[in-house]
Amino acid sequence: MRLIESSRLHVLLFCSLIVLLSACEATSNESFSDDGATNDEPTSDSAEVEKDTEEEENDVDIDLDEKKDAEIKEAAYKVTPQWFVTPTDDANEKVVLLTIDDAPDEHAVEMAKTLKELDAPAIFFVNGHFLQDDEGRKQLQEINELGFPIGNHTMTHTDLTTINEEEQKEEISEVNRLVEEIIGEKPKFFRAPFGKNTDYSEKLVEEEGMLLMNWTYGYDWDKEYQEADALTDIMVDSPLLGEGAILLMHDRDWTNDALSDIVTGLQDKGYEMLDPLLIENVNE
């Protein structure tokens, strides 16, 4: 009888051992892959996927950094008291700066597209009264999206020397507010109507972080040159044309018609159209 009970005991112990070994093997299979890596770690395939993903993310970061660097342009020119632009280092001296006033009236967007096609940068100086309806706001957005810097040319094109300081502030600051509301940033440049500034307007422009801008020459306001061919000839062959000249033009029918020939005429003479963003702004 004791022998039978002992045998049964041995059988039970043996069965228990078999169950225990099976459980250990199952646990081992769950915890380790065929190559010995634990399952909560990536297998070779998943590791490759993660590696590729990391490389793609790094590529995106590099692309963004390169784009950011491309958008940051170091100042290479400054504006002189005589209203020319001149290099601050070894930049190209044979440049001219194109500027368009009284935008966006009738032709500013078309002029911007013409300049874009010719790879000719320019500043578009805007009047606030053109920005008070949907059409004007839309045109400003288009000019900005084409990559042209925006300048402040006052709300109503009033001679600043004829109004008081409070009125001057309204003329200038309100344009900045409107432009920022429409395109998300304030104008970078300021030009007074008729080129007439006051001590107060100059101080306010500095406080607003804009660069004061005037011109070397311009003719499209003169009746003698309110025709495309005549305007082209004088803009390209003016005795005032020289290295760093700041050229004044307006949003006008005849200027729009002449614009392409003016740019190509200047290029044929070896002039580069200066990118306004390369001009140093000491007020920023």
Side-chain angles (χ1 to χ4, degrees):
M1 187 67 177
R2 289 179 180 176
L3 180 59
I4 294 171
E5 290 179 352
S6 175
S7 297
R8 287 177 178 176
L9 180 60
H10 285 125
V11 170
L12 289 172
L13 289 172
F14 180 77
C15 291
S16 298
L17 181 61
I18 294 297
V19 172
L20 180 60
L21 289 173
S22 298
C24 289
E25 183 178 359
T27 302
S28 176
N29 288 337
E30 290 175 357
S31 301
F32 293 89
S33 62
D34 291 340
D35 61 359
T38 57
N39 283 343
D40 60 357
E41 295 177 352
T43 62
S44 58
D45 290 340
S46 61
E48 287 297 325
V49 171
E50 287 194 6
K51 181 180 178 181
D52 291 342
T53 302
E54 289 176 359
E55 289 177 351
E56 289 175 1
E57 290 175 350
N58 289 336
D59 289 342
V60 170
D61 290 340
I62 292 172
D63 289 343
L64 291 175
D65 289 341
E66 289 178 348
K67 181 178 180 182
K68 183 177 180 181
D69 290 341
E71 291 174 349
I72 299 174
K73 301 181 179 181
E74 293 186 7
Y77 296 84
K78 64 180 179 180
V79 177
T80 71
Q82 295 75 35
W83 304 115
F84 282 79
V85 288
T86 184
T88 57
D89 48 30
D90 58 353
N92 182 17
E93 295 181 352
K94 198 166 184 179
V95 298
V96 293
L97 177 64
L98 304 180
T99 64
I100 312 293
D101 280 12
D102 300 349
D105 188 1
E106 297 182 6
H107 306 287
V109 172
E110 185 179 353
M111 295 172 81
K113 289 179 178 179
T114 297
L115 293 170
K116 186 74 173 179
E117 290 173 0
L118 296 170
D119 192 24
I123 304 171
F124 280 78
F125 285 95
V126 302
N127 293 124
H129 62 85
F130 291 129
L131 307 178
Q132 294 180 310
D133 58 36
D134 291 341
E135 181 59 28
R137 296 164 74 91
K138 179 182 177 183
Q139 289 183 40
L140 178 62
Q141 288 174 334
E142 289 187 65
I143 295 167
N144 177 65
E145 288 168 1
L146 285 167
F148 293 95
I150 303 302
N152 181 329
H153 198 38
T154 73
M155 279 296 297
T156 64
H157 205 276
T158 299
D159 183 342
L160 297 178
T161 65
T162 66
I163 58 179
N164 63 39
E165 291 185 357
E166 183 178 347
E167 291 170 322
Q168 290 179 56
K169 183 173 183 179
E170 180 69 14
E171 284 284 335
I172 296 170
S173 298
E174 182 62 11
V175 174
N176 282 356
R177 186 193 68 77
L178 280 170
V179 170
E180 184 174 24
E181 179 183 288
I182 296 167
I183 67 171
E185 60 181 4
K186 294 180 180 180
K188 301 178 182 297
F189 305 92
F190 176 79
R191 173 175 281 160
F194 316 106
K196 296 181 179 181
N197 278 289
T198 67
D199 291 342
Y200 176 78
S201 71
E202 290 181 358
K203 179 182 177 183
L204 181 58
V205 166
E206 180 179 345
E207 292 174 353
E208 292 279 352
M210 294 183 288
L211 179 62
L212 198 67
M213 184 72 65
N214 219 310
W215 62 84
T216 309
Y217 70 86
Y219 296 93
D220 64 353
W221 51 269
D222 189 327
K223 288 185 179 180
E224 184 179 352
Y225 302 106
Q226 292 180 1
E227 185 273 323
D229 289 341
L231 180 60
T232 299
D233 289 344
I234 191 64
M235 291 297 290
V236 174
D237 295 322
S238 169
L240 297 175
L241 174 62
E243 294 177 351
I246 301 173
L247 278 54
L248 169 67
M249 293 178 280
H250 296 80
D251 182 346
R252 300 287 188 270
D253 293 341
W254 48 91
T255 311
N256 180 41
D257 292 340
L259 186 58
S260 180
D261 288 339
I262 290 171
V263 172
T264 55
L266 292 167
Q267 290 172 335
D268 289 344
K269 286 194 166 187
Y271 285 95
E272 176 187 349
M273 309 301 114
L274 177 63
D275 183 347
L277 298 182
L278 293 176
I279 301 173
E280 178 183 26
N281 184 355
V282 296
N283 297 326
E284 285 186 328

